[in-house]
Amino acid sequence: GKYTGIGDAYKSLAEALDHAGIANQVKVNTRWIDAGGFEKGDVDKALSYFADNVKFFDINWPFDSSINKAQAKADWQKFINEYEIVKIEEVGYPDYLQYEIGNGREVLSWWKYFLVRKSDKKKLTVAFHFSDSFNAEGKITSEVSYYGADFFKK
């Protein structure tokens, strides 16, 4: 979330997760990720939550195409150079899925990006959906981005 640095911002959510774990006799392993790094233009902070061997996928790319962390850093920096990020809003709460087969951990999240294209000052509002896979250490190992690329055409 965007407010992980504020102590009580997610307190009720954290307590609900703890109580759900107690009721189901399991320990809830919570990993809070500050989504504000990218919004503030801090690409290194944003990428610090990703494993070194992460693969990034984009629904607008050819099937099964991916990029690595270094390529994502360059792409994200280019994005920040071309667009002013006015704000990013989380839409609802992320969903966490854990699969028994393969011990998969997946977080699905939805976001609204409020942007201004620097070249022509055009305001854009773009909806994004991310599907992030996590390893046991809580690092993101794979991210799939879903959005309409037509929003970015001039």
Side-chain angles (χ1 to χ4, degrees):
K2 287 176 52 175
Y3 308 105
T4 56
I6 302 172
D8 291 339
Y10 293 100
K11 184 176 181 180
S12 61
L13 178 60
E15 289 176 356
L17 290 170
D18 287 342
H19 292 164
I22 292 167
N24 289 287
Q25 299 177 343
V26 296
K27 180 177 180 341
V28 176
N29 182 12
T30 307
R31 172 89 163 132
W32 297 106
I33 293 179
D34 178 10
F38 186 73
E39 183 177 17
K40 295 172 190 157
D42 189 345
V43 173
D44 289 324
K45 170 123 177 144
L47 284 170
S48 71
Y49 299 103
F50 293 84
D52 289 337
N53 64 343
V54 64
K55 287 188 173 185
F56 294 89
F57 300 87
D58 187 312
I59 193 67
N60 299 289
W61 299 342
F63 179 74
D64 211 23
S65 295
S66 67
I67 61 173
N68 63 29
K69 195 172 186 178
Q71 292 164 316
K73 181 177 181 173
D75 284 356
W76 291 7
Q77 192 60 58
K78 182 178 184 236
F79 183 90
I80 288 169
N81 291 341
E82 293 177 3
Y83 295 91
E84 174 192 346
I85 300 173
V86 178
K87 66 179 176 176
I88 300 174
E89 288 182 357
E90 189 173 15
V91 179
Y93 291 106
D95 293 326
Y96 174 75
L97 309 168
Q98 185 161 352
Y99 302 100
E100 291 179 15
I101 298 174
N103 200 21
R105 297 166 189 85
E106 195 76 17
V107 172
L108 308 175
S109 61
W110 297 264
W111 304 85
K112 233 186 236 184
Y113 282 52
F114 297 87
L115 309 167
V116 176
R117 187 169 36 224
K118 292 179 180 178
S119 64
D120 61 5
K121 306 297 184 215
K122 181 176 180 181
K123 293 181 181 182
L124 303 166
T125 302
V126 183
F128 281 85
H129 166 62
F130 296 103
S131 179
D132 293 305
S133 301
F134 288 78
N135 62 21
E137 291 76 42
K139 293 281 190 172
I140 300 170
T141 58
S142 174
E143 180 171 88
V144 183
S145 304
Y146 301 87
Y147 60 96
D150 287 347
F151 280 102
F152 297 103
K153 291 182 180 173
K154 290 186 180 186

